Amino acid sequence: MKKTTRITLATLAGLAALNAHAESNVVFYGRVNATFENVKAEQGPAHNVVNDNASRIGFRGTEELGGGMAALFQVESRIRVDGSDSTSLASRDSFVGLRTPQGTLRLGRTLGPAYYALYDYISMHNHDSGYSADALLSSAVTGNSTAAGGRMNNTVWYTSPTLAGFTFEADYALLDEAPTTTGTKRTPHHLGLVGSYDRGPLHAAITYVSAQNTKDLDGSDAVRLNNDRAISAGGSYNFGPLVLGALFERSRRDTLTDTVSRNYYRVALMAPVGAHEFHLNVGVAGDYSGTHDTAGKQYTVAYNYNLSKRSKLYAYYTRIDNDSAQTVGGGGAYNFLGTAAGLDNRSIAAGIRHNF
């Protein structure tokens, strides 16, 4: 399987390069991003790892149809440079769509406009990837997805034309299209609504997401009627010597007997000085209502040195502090840390990123 995946990705890259040469409206692109890290769970041994930070390869293109209309597509795949073979074609945002004067419609798979408008947008130090990625956001933002990369399958995504800096986006995803095997097991789906404003140095957005019927609430197929929601607001402002990003999220989560809510805040700062960038990123999630010791905090201090517009060297220190009943921060390349409740962990990393 590993050999087949490599051959397929190589073929994809070759075809994309040929298309990019033959057709000016097809672009071949990618990012290679890896770190050497020393990772440690509290009261546990430290581990040294080389970790891939969401490296990717893809191609996208458009065909102008006249009258302000265009057909468009994107096929983007996850690649890894750390030895893992868990890659496949179209594993990242991939879609086909149509752009008209009334807006753009895409069909495919995606993380969703709510994620891109806020959570990804203010993660300026390393593209919300790797061990320093946002570990505290509500999973409803991406539909509680268990698909590869957390992306939502079977998505319809609409983006309005931009008017005076304002843009509206909406997505509806059928996710895994689980069959109805009993009278009460319903097809999981996700709804996302986004209003954003971009003008000069300001980016602002407000989002609403709902993920329904995505969780088995009692261990059987018959009861899966959850409705997890989150409302978020935030954005970023470029002051020149300092870029400030922030968001606030209010989420609600269903259980079999109750509905609980949580507040979550994140602040990100970037200070660019020539080729240097200094970053601070802090997230704080409160307790779920009616519960105790379910809060968590995440801190990242980072430094980037831009070798060019496409290449950089960087380093960071990141830490997650979980209350005794919180479990975020394990999994992925760091699954050796486990996901035990109350697990605190940290990483010291140095890396290289190149865009092409």
Side-chain angles (χ1 to χ4, degrees), residues 26-164:
V26 178
V27 177
F28 172 56
Y29 67 95
R31 178 176 73 206
V32 184
N33 188 3
T35 46
F36 177 77
E37 308 196 30
N38 180 269
V39 228
K40 187 179 185 300
E42 187 174 301
Q43 299 179 345
H47 296 257
N48 291 326
V49 295
V50 173
N51 186 48
D52 185 88
N53 291 254
S55 296
R56 65 191 183 190
I57 190 171
F59 57 100
R60 64 170 70 98
T62 59
E63 181 188 11
E64 298 297 333
L65 303 174
M69 298 178 61
L72 54 93
F73 75 93
Q74 176 174 298
V75 178
E76 187 173 290
S77 304
R78 178 81 157 89
I79 58 173
R80 302 193 68 106
V81 296
D82 59 1
S84 172
D85 61 355
S86 57
T87 57
S88 60
L89 291 175
S91 55
R92 289 175 57 91
D93 283 22
S94 300
F95 51 79
V96 64
L98 181 67
R99 186 183 70 230
T100 73
Q102 290 73 43
T104 300
L105 187 68
R106 302 175 182 88
L107 305 176
R109 59 186 272 113
T110 180
L111 283 171
Y115 172 79
Y116 289 120
L118 278 180
Y119 304 88
D120 181 69
Y121 200 96
I122 70 169
S123 183
M124 298 176 281
H125 66 281
N126 195 27
H127 320 288
D128 197 40
S129 65
Y131 197 50
S132 66
D134 188 341
L136 302 174
L137 79 165
S138 169
S139 60
V141 173
T142 53
N144 295 331
S145 178
T146 58
R151 281 164 170 81
M152 298 181 291
N153 296 326
N154 308 299
T155 299
V156 181
W157 177 358
Y158 168 77
T159 303
S160 75
T162 299
L163 180 63

Side-chain angles (χ1 to χ4, degrees), residues 54-347:
S55 296
R56 65 191 183 190
I57 190 171
F59 57 100
R60 64 170 70 98
T62 59
E63 181 188 11
E64 298 297 333
L65 303 174
M69 298 178 61
L72 54 93
F73 75 93
Q74 176 174 298
V75 178
E76 187 173 290
S77 304
R78 178 81 157 89
I79 58 173
R80 302 193 68 106
V81 296
D82 59 1
S84 172
D85 61 355
S86 57
T87 57
S88 60
L89 291 175
S91 55
R92 289 175 57 91
D93 283 22
S94 300
F95 51 79
V96 64
L98 181 67
R99 186 183 70 230
T100 73
Q102 290 73 43
T104 300
L105 187 68
R106 302 175 182 88
L107 305 176
R109 59 186 272 113
T110 180
L111 283 171
Y115 172 79
Y116 289 120
L118 278 180
Y119 304 88
D120 181 69
Y121 200 96
I122 70 169
S123 183
M124 298 176 281
H125 66 281
N126 195 27
H127 320 288
D128 197 40
S129 65
Y131 197 50
S132 66
D134 188 341
L136 302 174
L137 79 165
S138 169
S139 60
V141 173
T142 53
N144 295 331
S145 178
T146 58
R151 281 164 170 81
M152 298 181 291
N153 296 326
N154 308 299
T155 299
V156 181
W157 177 358
Y158 168 77
T159 303
S160 75
T162 299
L163 180 63
F166 290 95
T167 305
F168 171 75
E169 296 181 275
D171 74 289
Y172 183 79
L174 289 172
L175 304 175
D176 62 1
E177 291 188 310
T180 301
T181 57
T182 71
T184 57
K185 183 176 180 180
R186 301 180 183 179
T187 301
H189 58 273
H190 170 269
L191 173 68
L193 303 173
V194 179
S196 59
Y197 177 79
D198 289 273
R199 182 61 60 90
L202 174 65
H203 168 79
I206 183 168
T207 73
Y208 169 81
V209 295
S210 170
Q212 297 188 33
N213 310 321
T214 58
K215 297 177 181 177
D216 190 349
L217 296 181
D218 74 343
S220 72
D221 287 343
V223 180
R224 191 174 69 180
L225 305 175
N226 67 294
N227 181 10
D228 300 342
R229 293 89 69 198
I231 297 176
S232 305
S236 70
Y237 192 90
N238 188 343
F239 293 93
L242 182 69
V243 180
L244 170 64
L247 68 83
F248 167 74
E249 171 194 279
R250 174 73 171 179
S251 61
R252 295 172 66 86
R253 179 171 58 86
D254 289 334
T255 69
L256 279 176
T257 59
D258 199 3
T259 297
V260 296
S261 58
R262 185 196 72 168
N263 292 334
Y264 162 48
Y265 309 84
R266 183 169 288 275
V267 175
L269 299 173
M270 177 178 69
V273 182
H276 309 273
E277 294 175 4
F278 302 91
H279 295 265
L280 175 65
N281 195 309
V282 179
V284 179
D287 285 316
Y288 287 100
S289 59
T291 64
H292 299 286
D293 300 321
T294 57
K297 301 179 181 67
Q298 184 176 19
Y299 315 89
T300 301
V301 179
Y303 166 74
N304 293 352
Y305 180 75
N306 294 293
L307 300 166
S308 69
K309 290 183 177 180
R310 297 186 299 172
S311 301
K312 75 174 183 179
L313 302 174
Y314 65 97
Y316 66 73
Y317 170 84
T318 189
R319 179 178 177 84
I320 295 174
D321 291 333
N322 286 313
D323 281 4
S324 61
Q326 183 63 281
T327 59
V328 299
Y334 300 88
N335 55 14
F336 54 79
L337 293 178
T339 55
L343 179 74
D344 295 337
N345 46 78
R346 61 92 178 137
S347 178

